Structure formats: C-alpha cells, structure tokens
C-alpha cells in the first residue's frame, strides 16, 4: 500500500485483503468495554472537511481517537479558505505543522489527488466531488464479506444516481478487484457519460431497467441503493420523485421478488437515505438490510486504513494477522 489512499484503484487485491483483515481485528476493539488501543499514540490526524458530513467525519474521528492518535477536526467555514486562501496554501500550512495524516473531503473532483502531490503527510480521500470515496467502498466490501464470505462470483447491483455518485465509482473498482460481478442501474439521464467504454474495459454490466435486473437470469446477492443527490443537480434529471420511485426505487414488492430468487439477498445504502424515494422505509428496516452494519464497519475499516498508512512495517501487505492482533492489544 502506498503512502496515500486517494483512489480505490490505488489498491491491489492483496492491499484490499490486508485492510479488510486488519478491520476484523479493529472491529474487536469496538466490542470492548474500553475502546482504546495505543497503536497510533504520538501521531496526529487532521480531518479537513470542505463539505458537510456526519458518518464519514465522525467515523474517522472515532477511528483516530480509539487508536490514541491526536485527532483534529477542521472545516472550510472556520478555516482560512473562507477568507480566500487557496486550497494549496491551506494544505501546505497544515502540513507544515508536522501532522501525520490529512483526511480530506472536498467538493472538487481530483482535490485529494492534488493535495497528495503538495504535502509530505499521508492523505486519505474522504470523498472528492463526484469522483471517488475509497473508504466507503472498503467498508461496503467488509460488510458484504462478513455476511457472505469471499466475493468472487457474487452479483452486486448498484442502483440510482450514478452521475453524481463517488460511492458508485469506488465500489465498482473495489468489488471488481475482489472478483464480484457488478451491474449498475440508472435512468439514462443519471448514467455517466463514457460508462459504456469503462464497463467494457473493467468488465461490469449496465442497465436502464431495474426490474430486468431484479428478475434477471443472474440472481442478485446484494442490492446497493444510492441516494438521489438533489443538492448536486442543476437540471431536471427525472420528471417527479414519484416517477423515480416507480421505476428505480427499491420497494417492498421488488424486495419480495429479490428474496424469492435469493433468500440471502442483502440490501445496502451508503446513507443518508431518502426514505420513500430510492428506498422504501420498510425495506430500509427489513431483515435483509445491512445499513447499520455498514455504519459499524465504517469505524473499523477507517481504523485499518489509518493503521496501514501510519503504523510502520505492519502497514505492509505482508503483515500477518498476528502482527495486527499485537498492535491492537
């Protein structure tokens, strides 16, 4: 694993396997009465968020604190960027304070990659525009593996607002790295430009018809619903919310058909959910839903990512499970 985690494409399969194995040990920490290990004592992690966030920001903060790192939260509103300072100057200023890692969320695609080229500390991409969100993809993979084991040959459908979704992009890469079969589903207006060429080169399927995927020849093992990101939309991508729900929402009836084909099917959502739009409220709370498992996995996976970036020789993919267990004792 390199010094930064900017894109899911930065990770080889051994890298992903190592992070997920470490996350299993980190998940054990979450179950302890005293959730504190000395793994990153003396390290400083700065969470710098230019966009609002609840799950990602809080999970990175908890991850750092549970591993005894000094964790500092910054936001654009309270920083010099609100006074006109450039992203480069702000990043260099933070880096000059000798921090060890900078976790950054920014509304511009490519911002995390650019920052990683300016600073000496490790950079973790916590979401950049409509580009990528690699730790979300890792926690989704962790959640799936904890329920169904190896993902080789498993069929995962990703449904919804693909055009504006950084989660979709990172998930396609990570799931394909782990050998899963992926189908992405969206209305034509929310299907990203150039996806046909990408799907051919990376080996995933695309569809405009959710019902065809639900009832298709290949049963779905996991259905991941994406939030309709109205705040990123500037035009009429679909006529009405009701029409979107009818054509692309995971309704109780569609879940029933999924379960008929595969009783072990899982329902996922990276959150926050628009209940009643892309997912019915009763589906979000159904036994097949692993939404809260994803939230729980987020802390363990982000602990694992920080560990691999900052904990020295144990951060190498060749580190054994015993190395990790010793680090969190």
């Amino acid at each position: 694993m390199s010094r930064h985690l900017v894109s899911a494409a930065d990770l080889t399969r051994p890298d992903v396997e190592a992070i997920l194995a470490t996350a299993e040990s980190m998940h054990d920490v979450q179950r302890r009465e005293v959730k504190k290990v000395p793994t990153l004592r003396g390290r400083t992690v700065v969470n710098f968020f230019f966009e609002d966030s609840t799950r990602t920001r809080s999970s990175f903060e908890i991850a750092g604190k549970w591993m005894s790192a000094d964790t500092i939260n910054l936001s654009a509103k309270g920083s010099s960027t609100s006074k006109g300072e450039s992203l480069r100057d702000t990043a260099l200023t933070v880096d000059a304070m000798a921090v060890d890692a900078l976790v950054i969320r920014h509304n511009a695609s490519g911002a995390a990659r650019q920052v990683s080229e300016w600073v000496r500390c490790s950079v973790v991409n916590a979401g950049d525009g409509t580009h990528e969100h690699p730790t979300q993809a890792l926690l989704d993979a962790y959640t799936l593996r904890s329920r169904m084991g190896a993902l080789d040959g498993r069929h995962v459908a990703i449904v919804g607002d693909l055009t504006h979704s950084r989660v979709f992009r990172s998930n396609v890469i990570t799931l394909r790295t782990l050998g899963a079969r992926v189908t992405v589903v969206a209305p034509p207006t929310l299907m990203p430009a150039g996806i046909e060429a990408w799907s051919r080169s990376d080996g995933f399927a695309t569809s405009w018809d959710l019902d065809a995927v639900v009832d298709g020849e290949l049963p779905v093992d996991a259905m991941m619903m994406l939030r309709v990101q109205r705040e990123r939309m500037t035009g009429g991508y679909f006529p009405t919310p009701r029409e979107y729900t009818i054509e692309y929402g995971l309704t109780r009836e569609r879940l029933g058909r999924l379960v008929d084909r595969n009783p072990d099917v899982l329902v996922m959502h990276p959150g926050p959910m628009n209940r009643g739009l892309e997912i019915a409220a009763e589906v979000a709370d159904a036994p097949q839903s692993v939404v809260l498992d994803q939230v729980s996995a987020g802390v363990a996976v982000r602990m694992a990512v920080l560990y691999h970036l900052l904990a020295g020789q144990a951060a190498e993919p060749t580190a054994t499970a015993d190395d990790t267990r010793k680090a969190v004792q």
Side-chain angles (χ1 to χ4, degrees):
M1 186 173 175
S2 69
R3 192 163 56 93
H4 309 295
L5 178 54
V6 173
S7 166
D10 296 338
L11 301 174
T12 64
R13 181 160 183 163
D15 290 333
V16 175
E17 298 279 3
I19 291 170
L20 298 186
T22 302
E24 292 181 14
S25 296
M26 297 304 182
H27 220 153
D28 290 338
V29 174
Q30 290 181 247
R31 302 183 183 100
R32 298 179 184 178
E33 185 175 351
V34 178
K35 302 173 179 64
K36 198 81 166 180
V37 292
T39 313
L40 296 183
R41 182 180 294 153
R43 302 285 189 149
T44 302
V45 178
V46 174
N47 297 322
F48 201 175
F49 279 58
F50 291 79
E51 286 186 326
D52 294 337
S53 170
T54 299
R55 292 163 179 78
T56 304
R57 180 169 179 165
S58 59
S59 62
F60 267 113
E61 182 179 4
I62 292 170
K65 288 182 174 179
W66 282 358
M67 291 194 292
S68 301
D70 295 311
T71 305
I72 301 167
N73 290 326
L74 300 176
S75 63
K77 186 175 181 181
S79 73
S80 294
T81 56
S82 63
K83 302 175 184 178
E85 184 174 74
S86 69
L87 174 62
R88 182 177 187 275
D89 286 335
T90 300
L92 290 174
T93 297
V94 174
D95 188 49
M97 298 177 187
V99 304
D100 297 288
L102 180 60
V103 179
I104 183 169
R105 169 169 287 191
H106 200 279
N107 56 8
S109 299
R113 176 76 68 190
Q114 187 65 74
V115 169
S116 73
E117 296 172 357
W118 291 331
V119 300
R120 293 167 295 179
C121 65
S122 293
V123 173
V124 181
N125 182 3
D128 61 329
T130 59
H131 180 224
E132 278 209 50
H133 194 353
T135 59
Q136 179 69 45
L138 288 168
L139 73 87
D140 290 340
Y142 179 89
T143 302
L144 288 170
R145 294 211 327 173
S146 67
R147 289 297 189 105
M148 61 178 64
L151 301 186
D152 296 278
R154 295 288 192 171
H155 183 204
V156 180
I158 304 175
V159 184
D161 182 2
L162 304 183
T163 291
H164 303 96
S165 176
R166 52 197 172 209
V167 171
F168 136 72
R169 289 170 174 81
S170 291
N171 259 297
V172 167
I173 296 168
T174 301
L175 290 170
R176 292 295 299 135
T177 297
L178 293 174
R181 303 176 70 170
V182 179
T183 302
V184 299
V185 185
T189 53
L190 290 174
M191 194 72 78
I195 196 170
E196 294 84 3
W198 182 22
S199 65
R200 286 194 299 270
S201 64
D202 282 27
F204 63 93
T206 64
S207 176
W208 295 343
D209 189 341
L210 177 57
D211 288 316
V213 174
V214 169
D215 301 321
E217 182 178 344
L218 183 65
V220 175
D221 293 297
M223 180 74 77
M224 183 184 299
M225 306 307 295
L226 300 176
R227 181 173 66 92
V228 175
Q229 299 188 38
R230 305 185 210 195
E231 75 277 9
R232 297 187 193 275
M233 294 185 181
T234 56
Y237 285 86
F238 49 86
T240 65
R242 176 171 172 75
E243 180 170 325
Y244 182 89
T245 299
I246 291 171
E247 295 295 329
Y248 294 97
L250 185 53
T251 60
R252 181 171 55 183
E253 187 271 335
R254 283 194 176 105
L255 176 61
R257 284 153 52 200
L258 286 168
V259 172
D260 287 344
R261 300 287 310 285
N262 178 6
D264 297 321
V265 67
L266 301 178
V267 173
M268 309 181 77
H269 195 300
M273 292 183 285
N274 292 312
R275 288 175 179 252
L277 181 54
E278 71 265 3
I279 186 169
E282 57 267 37
V283 174
D285 299 325
Q288 294 79 16
S289 173
V290 292
V291 172
L292 292 182
D293 291 22
Q294 292 172 267
V295 176
S296 177
V299 178
V301 166
R302 284 158 182 145
M303 289 174 74
V305 167
L306 292 174
Y307 171 76
H308 278 262
L309 289 174
L310 301 180
Q313 62 179 9
E316 296 301 320
T318 54
T320 65
D322 287 339
D323 292 328
T324 304
R325 280 193 289 271
K326 290 175 184 176
V328 299
Q329 287 175 351

